[in-house]
Amino acid sequence: MTPSDAIENADWIGQRLHPFGSYDVGSVIPTGFAAYARILHPAGKYGASHPVEVRWSEVAAWSGKTIHPEVQFNSICEPALGNELGHWSWNYEPRLGVLSDAQVRALAGLLAEFTTTPDRCWFCLWDGQGYLHPGGIAPLIFVKGPRPLRWLRLRAARRQLRRHKPP
């Protein structure tokens, strides 16, 4: 990619946004398109030699929940009653705002069919986080392995089971 200061190429975006915080997709995505797609960033699990993507449909099947257009990951990742201590279908939550190489290839291939310039693409970055400015920093939180998240969820599930045991 080649950085560009030609921000005028993105002027049309601001004119098509709803006020920020209006609680609809139009506050962060330009309106006026015939259709929109939502990408559900995969959860993951550790494979033999590399991470393996886990689709939300797999997590929903494990938890007994249903995928719908407004689904949120936290609503499908709680175990179904009776499966609180069962095998988890995933080890870590989706990395929001990050596409895997496989997703990028699939998305680029699909989108290339709908443009007259498939070899050109513009990426816009919001500078509101501050880390794009000189002296800016970005926090990095690292947890080694899947155990901490699994352990916390397992502990919460056991606590809930104890609360709901008949006397």
Side-chain angles (χ1 to χ4, degrees):
M1 290 193 307
T2 305
S4 173
D5 290 327
I7 60 172
E8 63 276 1
N9 289 313
D11 283 347
W12 63 275
I13 295 173
Q15 300 162 10
R16 292 167 59 177
L17 289 175
H18 295 167
F20 189 73
S22 60
Y23 299 104
D24 68 356
V25 73
S27 66
V28 291
I29 305 292
T31 60
F33 293 104
Y36 293 81
R38 181 174 176 204
I39 299 171
L40 301 176
H41 299 279
K45 62 183 173 185
Y46 297 101
S49 62
H50 64 290
V52 176
E53 293 182 355
V54 177
R55 298 175 65 94
W56 287 32
S57 58
E58 292 177 58
V59 176
W62 167 81
S63 67
K65 305 288 174 49
T66 303
I67 298 288
H68 54 83
E70 296 181 8
V71 67
Q72 299 295 316
F73 189 79
N74 64 345
S75 69
I76 63 168
C77 69
E78 296 299 323
L81 286 176
N83 196 27
E84 293 88 354
L85 304 177
H87 175 71
W88 295 69
S89 63
W90 52 282
N91 297 107
Y92 53 91
E93 297 183 359
R95 294 174 42 210
L96 301 180
V98 178
L99 294 175
S100 68
D101 290 344
Q103 286 180 308
V104 169
R105 283 191 296 278
L107 189 58
L110 177 68
L111 295 176
E113 298 175 23
F114 297 94
T115 181
T116 57
T117 57
D119 295 331
R120 292 188 65 201
C121 182
W122 286 90
F123 294 90
C124 296
L125 298 174
W126 179 54
D127 68 356
Q129 296 293 343
Y131 53 80
L132 296 176
H133 301 284
I137 60 169
L140 176 64
I141 300 170
F142 177 75
V143 177
K144 185 177 180 183
R147 183 172 178 206
L149 178 61
R150 269 184 92 176
W151 183 79
L152 288 173
R153 288 186 185 280
L154 185 59
R155 192 172 74 177
R158 285 180 180 152
R159 204 176 14 227
Q160 188 160 349
L161 275 176
R162 280 194 294 268
R163 268 188 257 145
H164 290 52
K165 276 189 176 177

